[in-house]
Amino acid sequence: RTELLRILKRQLIPMLASSRLWVSDSAIQHGDTTVLLHCLAVAYFSLKLARGLRLRYDQRSLVRGALLHDYFLYDWHTPDPAHRLHGFSHARTALRNAREDFPLTEKEQDIIAHHMFPLVPKPPRSREALLVCMVDKGCGLYETFGRNTYPALRELLAQQKHCNPPTSQPMQVAHRAPP
């Protein structure tokens, strides 16, 4: 577990410092889990599954793609006509936002664009995207029915918030989903 957390931190710290990623910590994804915590959990368990299955995979793209797969930067629980079809449209919004803030590999784009398969009709093309797609569903179920999810990952975010405080704009002024 310690090694996986170290791998996550190596990608997470520079991403938090140079983007709007902290904005994702101000909105709930499922249950009491923020969007950022959800993305961190998806990255962690995607790594764990890839290692457990002894797959060959691009570790950097897997982690970065998982951390950005829900980079839509709005609170989808807020009553707003633009959020009505969130499940079908947020992957496009996340990909657009990620492209604005990061140089992305083809695999990272595949992960972000196709993580909502089968709601998004095109399936993942890489094993990294398939892993994130599957793990995302499992994490979503766990978060919906659990409380105080992922204590070690919550602690990791708390440490980062203390050492590298957010400089992003609050959720209210973040990019909105297209109508």
Side-chain angles (χ1 to χ4, degrees):
R1 181 173 100 172
T2 304
E3 183 184 354
L4 293 180
L5 292 174
R6 195 169 27 254
I7 291 167
L8 287 178
K9 280 174 68 172
R10 193 168 38 241
Q11 295 302 323
L12 179 66
I13 291 170
M15 291 173 76
L16 286 170
S18 66
S19 72
R20 298 172 285 171
L21 197 54
W22 274 121
V23 170
S24 300
D25 200 41
S26 63
I28 295 296
Q29 179 75 330
H30 308 109
D32 65 354
T33 303
T34 67
V35 176
L36 182 56
L37 179 59
H38 165 77
C39 291
L40 190 58
V42 171
Y44 177 86
F45 287 105
S46 293
L47 274 174
K48 190 169 182 153
L49 182 60
R51 285 180 166 217
L53 294 174
R54 299 175 198 259
L55 297 177
R56 275 191 273 153
Y57 63 98
D58 178 343
Q59 179 179 284
R60 182 177 190 271
S61 290
L62 176 67
V63 171
R64 285 171 49 92
L67 289 172
L68 295 171
H69 82 276
D70 280 338
Y71 196 55
F72 45 82
L73 303 176
Y74 59 85
D75 184 349
W76 64 275
H77 299 93
T78 301
D80 183 329
H83 307 160
R84 219 169 32 107
L85 298 174
H86 171 79
F88 296 94
S89 64
H90 78 271
R92 282 190 310 273
T93 305
L95 182 57
R96 185 189 71 231
N97 290 335
R99 283 177 174 154
E100 288 175 10
D101 290 359
F102 300 97
L104 299 173
T105 67
E106 200 170 305
K107 283 184 182 177
E108 291 163 357
Q109 292 179 64
D110 181 28
I111 291 167
I112 299 164
H114 302 118
H115 79 275
M116 286 303 292
F117 180 78
L119 288 181
V120 174
K122 290 185 180 178
R125 294 186 306 252
S126 64
R127 70 180 48 139
E128 293 83 357
L130 183 59
L131 283 166
V132 169
C133 182
M134 292 186 309
V135 169
D136 181 47
K137 309 304 182 271
C139 287
L141 281 170
Y142 173 64
E143 294 157 11
T144 298
F145 296 106
R147 291 293 172 262
N148 299 315
T149 54
Y150 317 120
L153 298 176
R154 284 177 190 270
E155 178 59 29
L156 172 66
L157 282 180
Q159 289 170 1
Q160 292 314 305
K161 196 173 275 190
H162 179 73
C163 297
N164 304 299
T167 57
S168 300
Q169 297 292 326
M171 185 65 73
Q172 294 85 341
V173 295
H175 287 187
R176 311 291 270 154

